[in-house]
Amino acid sequence: MKKFLTVCLAAGTLVASALGFSACGGGNTLVVYTEAGFAPFEYLSEGKIVGVDVDIMNQVGEKLGREVVFENVNFDVIVDAVSEGKLTNVGAAGLSITEERKEKVDFSIPYYTASLYVIYKTDGTMAPEIGESTAENGSVIYWDSLAGMSIGVQGGTTADIFLSDEIGEDWGALYETGASKTPYTSLSVAVNDIGLNTNVVIIDELPAKTLVANNDGLSCLPLYYKGETVDEDEAAVDEYAIAVTPGQDELLAAINEVLEGLINDVDADGNNGIQRLVMQHLDLASGN
């Protein structure tokens, strides 16, 4: 789930196209576009871009014998930049697979399934009603409980896409309910506006939990579609994959090989390589 080109941070080194690199991999360099505000998948630590997607792409670089350079850009330019293939051939940024994006880029195999979460003020300021789903799901927030609310999202994310449909389509849970969408270029700015100019922010589960863990004034719960019975309730979910410029078959194959290796590397606790990376970076991003 990210934006005109901003300052580009390359794993701790400032990279400019004027240095003579072709940003889509001139010489032996593989440039990867990301947006370092989406922990644990990509975030800044001591000025360096780190995270699950960074670790994955570094393994791809090793497989191909290429230096990987990460550029921190606005999320909502990543897919178009990868599609064009001039500045970069890879987007690794917690990107969700959508039909619209599939028309522009090739996607790797999915490597993570994410649930959408709602972040709200713990003290109830401008907060939505909390519902109870099945015993297994526990407390949730239903789409229709956001009726009439101002809802923040990070522009270009899957939450943005989901919310646009729910508000703008006549089948949507928030159609003609008075609900409105407020897009932000930065997730942190969006979260800081909760209880002021917006009621809530919708974002993926792990970034939501990381933000809440670092802010005592915030809480979060999963976002659900309400069924006719609680057993028919359905979570709002999406799948992450890595975006590649069409025609970059060798690169795509290498990414898929790395992902398959991680997914199939299951430890004694039943966690695969991706899940272990997620847990590692959740701890690091939370300061534990």
Side-chain angles (χ1 to χ4, degrees):
M1 242 120 202
K2 302 165 179 164
K3 325 181 178 173
F4 260 150
L5 189 59
T6 59
V7 176
C8 297
L9 298 174
T13 304
L14 187 62
V15 175
S17 58
L19 293 178
F21 292 110
S22 165
C24 51
N28 208 35
T29 304
L30 176 63
V31 173
V32 178
Y33 269 24
T34 190
E35 194 272 334
F38 198 67
F41 292 92
E42 37 272 325
Y43 58 101
L44 292 174
S45 177
E46 298 180 352
K48 295 182 178 181
I49 302 174
V50 297
V52 175
D53 288 330
V54 174
D55 291 349
I56 291 170
M57 288 308 305
N58 278 331
Q59 290 191 36
V60 173
E62 291 176 9
K63 177 177 286 291
L64 293 173
R66 299 177 68 179
E67 177 190 4
V68 182
V69 172
F70 300 92
E71 294 200 4
N72 188 17
V73 304
N74 284 336
F75 180 83
D76 56 10
V77 306
I78 293 176
V79 170
D80 286 339
V82 172
S83 176
E84 192 174 64
K86 293 180 180 179
L87 299 174
T88 180
N89 289 137
V90 185
L95 280 167
S96 303
I97 302 171
T98 68
E99 291 303 315
E100 180 181 1
R101 290 172 178 168
K102 285 165 66 175
E103 293 177 0
K104 296 180 178 181
V105 298
D106 289 339
F107 275 111
S108 70
I109 61 172
Y111 63 92
Y112 191 82
T113 300
S115 301
L116 288 180
Y117 265 56
V118 179
I119 305 177
Y120 57 94
K121 283 282 191 181
T122 304
D123 65 7
T125 305
M126 300 169 65
E129 178 183 353
I130 295 173
E132 293 296 326
S133 188
T134 65
E136 179 182 351
N137 297 330
S139 297
V140 302
I141 292 176
Y142 292 109
W143 275 108
D144 58 9
S145 71
L146 302 178
M149 292 191 171
S150 174
I151 305 165
V153 291
Q154 187 177 19
T157 60
T158 306
D160 187 1
I161 296 169
F162 270 65
L163 181 58
S164 295
D165 287 344
E166 295 301 326
I167 290 176
E169 301 293 339
D170 58 10
W171 46 260
L174 301 178
Y175 183 70
E176 293 185 343
T177 66
S180 63
K181 179 183 75 172
T182 303
Y184 296 84
T185 57
S186 164
L187 180 56
S188 60
V189 174
V191 170
N192 288 337
D193 215 17
I194 296 174
L196 299 174
N197 296 306
T198 60
N199 297 79
V200 300
V201 164
I202 300 176
I203 193 64
D204 289 356
E205 175 183 5
L206 294 183
K209 289 183 174 179
T210 302
L211 286 162
V212 166
N214 293 321
N215 191 321
D216 292 336
L218 297 176
S219 298
C220 65
L221 284 172
L223 182 60
Y224 265 68
Y225 294 95
K226 182 178 287 187
E228 292 188 10
T229 68
V230 291
D231 292 327
E232 295 175 319
D233 288 350
E234 184 178 349
V237 299
D238 59 334
E239 291 184 310
Y240 293 169
I242 294 172
V244 177
T245 304
Q248 293 285 327
D249 297 336
E250 180 184 2
L251 175 57
L252 182 60
I255 292 171
N256 282 335
E257 287 178 21
V258 167
L259 291 175
E260 287 171 351
L262 288 167
I263 291 168
N264 293 328
D265 181 15
V266 180
D267 63 18
D269 295 321
N271 297 311
N272 66 32
I274 298 290
Q275 292 166 323
R276 293 197 298 275
L277 287 176
V278 167
M279 290 185 287
Q280 172 191 336
H281 284 288
L282 274 175
D283 286 342
L284 292 173
S286 300
N288 297 328

